[in-house]
Amino acid sequence: PIGLIVCDNLGKVIHMNQFGAQICGEQNGLMLTREQLLTTSHAQTRDTLKTALLTLETDCALSIDRPDHEYPLSVIITSIGNPAHQHRLILVSDPLKHVAPNVQTLQSIYDLPLSEAKLLHLLVSGFPLKEAANNLNITEGSARTYLKRIFSKTQTNSQAELIRMILMTPRLCQ
């Protein structure tokens, strides 16, 4: 789930996807004014956002702090459209809302048995191998064996490489 927001260089929102609307609707980091202008919760990041929207020639990345969460929103801003009529495309990522593809998707895409797909889902969800094994009521040794099979089936060599690949797997919003 990536929030997509299209606005003019003043921050007037023209379009946003469901996830972008959800993020702005939470009013915790990014939000909309009554005039449908994109703004932030903090004055410092508000000025940074305005400057980024006005600077059409360059792309930029921002971290938007949120009063109610320890993790900030990650924001990428780029220009879209023709030079005479440019808009800004804002991509918003909330690290708290990134979830692994479900077990059935992992089974189907990577041809994994249920036990391996469950382990992979737990690993991608942030559990250490030992905790994932405990959650599945298997030994850590069995989990390591499953993981070796998963590496082979996904043609990866390390947990970091495997996690990166799985996080890039397409999924439907849940």
Side-chain angles (χ1 to χ4, degrees), residues 92-112:
V92 185
S93 175
D94 182 347
L96 298 175
K97 292 189 169 114
H98 280 278
V99 293
N102 66 36
V103 172
Q104 294 79 16
T105 300
L106 294 172
Q107 277 186 281
S108 296
I109 292 176
Y110 301 105
D111 195 27
L112 301 174

Side-chain angles (χ1 to χ4, degrees), residues 7-11 47-58 60 77 79 86 88:
C7 62
D8 64 19
N9 67 332
L10 298 176
D47 293 339
T48 305
L49 177 64
K50 283 181 184 179
T51 301
L53 292 172
L54 287 169
T55 310
L56 293 172
E57 297 83 38
T58 59
C60 72
I77 302 173
S79 296
Q86 283 195 336
R88 300 300 265 161

Side-chain angles (χ1 to χ4, degrees), residues 112 116 119-120 146-154 162:
L112 301 174
E116 292 173 7
L119 176 65
L120 182 54
Y146 290 2
L147 186 57
K148 287 178 187 175
R149 285 191 228 146
I150 294 168
F151 286 155
S152 175
K153 291 174 183 175
T154 59
L162 175 65

